[in-house]
Amino acid sequence: MAVALHSLRFKNPGAPVLVVLHGLLGSSRNWSTIGRTLQDRFDVHVLDLRNHGSSPHSDAMRWSEMCEDLQAYLDLHELESIELMGHSLGGKVAMRYACERPEVVERLVIVDIAAKPYPPYHDNEFRAMKRIPVAELANRKEAEELLEPMVPDWALRQFLLTNLVRDEASGTFRWQVNLEALHSSLPHIRQNSLLETDHYEGPVLLVRGANSDFIDDDDANEMLHWFPYLREEIVLDAGHNVHVENRKGFVAVLDEWL
């Protein structure tokens, strides 16, 4: 059953619609700067996937259900034709949706994720987050100190802490994401979201961070099986979070292609 996805909208009525899907443990807030940057050319809708941000929680994270969430959002806003961009987990959802509804997706942008199964990742981060007694925290600094032994990378800690919010009613901290559901879904969402029979013949841009280990040199060629009109662009001085680590380079690639 579809859930009603929350979104940030950067309005430009009458312009082509661009829908953006974030990655695992991200949210629409992570893409707000990009949304504002592209607002002069697009009517931008940046969505929170289920179990993320301000969208509803659910025990299920199957590809079909996340595609249904997206379709329900488009139906609600009467959007019949879109440009679709997805990063990481959002990229997997975007690929699957474009193959299922090619008549809706005019163009597809996949950001630093490939159509392939991935080895286990993020398990350590989930375990670290679950260990923190968030309701007992006095401040965010205390949360960072508790995370540091298991998550020594400063930038990664800051990213994880974007999910820590203070409950308005009780005044205590809580994780905004559905940690349990996402953690238990890792074995599924690390798999390829596409079936062998899936196919999308629209224009596809694969944006790769030069320093990222999420995409290998032969991945773009392998993805031609599903996306025959795929083009790869590499953004220098950026890892997996291309849109954050080299925002200028990322936007330049989008400007040229979009």
Side-chain angles (χ1 to χ4, degrees), residues 4 8 34 82 198 207 210 223:
L8 293 179
I34 298 296
I82 65 170
D198 283 336
V207 183
M223 290 170 67

Side-chain angles (χ1 to χ4, degrees), residues 2-239:
V3 302
L5 300 180
H6 173 264
S7 69
L8 293 179
R9 185 178 177 189
F10 302 90
K11 293 183 179 181
N12 185 351
V17 174
L18 174 64
V19 175
V20 182
L21 307 178
H22 62 79
L24 181 64
L25 291 174
S27 72
S28 55
R29 296 193 308 275
N30 306 142
W31 285 82
S32 58
T33 301
I34 298 296
R36 283 191 291 269
T37 301
L38 298 175
Q39 187 176 9
D40 62 334
R41 283 152 287 172
F42 295 95
D43 186 17
V44 186
H45 297 246
V46 189
L47 277 53
D48 285 336
L49 297 174
R50 61 168 58 198
N51 293 321
H52 292 80
S54 298
S55 285
H57 290 185
S58 170
D59 290 336
M61 287 287 290
R62 289 186 287 269
W63 304 118
S64 58
E65 291 158 333
M66 288 187 279
C67 288
E68 287 172 7
D69 294 345
L70 174 54
Q71 185 60 53
Y73 181 89
L74 300 183
D75 290 344
L76 178 64
H77 293 273
E78 300 181 340
L79 303 176
E80 298 179 352
S81 176
I82 65 170
E83 317 258 338
L84 183 58
M85 177 161 64
H87 171 239
S88 198
L89 173 61
K92 290 189 171 191
V93 177
M95 286 189 279
R96 178 67 173 264
Y97 181 83
C99 289
E100 290 186 354
R101 301 297 299 271
E103 73 280 6
V104 176
V105 181
E106 295 292 329
R107 287 185 290 184
L108 175 65
V109 181
I110 307 163
V111 185
D112 211 71
I113 200 73
K116 65 179 183 181
Y118 280 83
Y121 64 94
H122 281 322
D123 181 69
N124 177 70
E125 288 77 19
F126 274 101
R127 292 184 185 279
M129 294 168 75
K130 288 162 72 172
R131 280 188 180 183
I132 296 177
V134 287
E136 301 172 16
L137 293 175
N139 51 55
R140 299 181 69 85
K141 180 174 175 57
E142 186 178 349
E144 182 176 1
E145 292 172 350
L146 291 170
L147 274 178
E148 187 172 4
M150 289 190 68
V151 187
D153 183 83
W154 179 86
L156 181 54
R157 287 200 307 277
Q158 304 315 304
F159 172 67
L160 298 180
L161 288 170
T162 61
N163 293 288
L164 185 66
V165 297
R166 192 185 288 273
D167 189 271
E168 293 183 4
S170 65
T172 58
F173 285 100
R174 62 178 176 85
W175 292 116
Q176 191 174 31
V177 292
N178 187 345
L179 276 183
E180 292 295 340
L182 292 177
H183 193 191
S184 64
S185 297
L186 286 182
H188 170 67
I189 60 179
R190 70 179 181 86
Q191 300 298 325
N192 189 354
S193 63
L194 300 179
L195 305 172
E196 280 296 311
T197 54
D198 283 336
H199 201 66
Y200 174 73
E201 293 196 353
V204 179
L205 176 66
L206 174 63
V207 183
R208 174 183 176 185
N211 303 328
S212 173
D213 58 2
F214 273 72
I215 298 184
D216 296 324
D217 290 340
D218 58 349
D219 285 342
N221 188 57
E222 294 290 334
M223 290 170 67
L224 293 173
H225 171 80
W226 296 280
F227 307 109
Y229 299 104
L230 179 144
R231 185 176 110 197
E232 181 184 42
E233 291 289 346
I234 299 176
V235 178
L236 300 177
D237 302 317

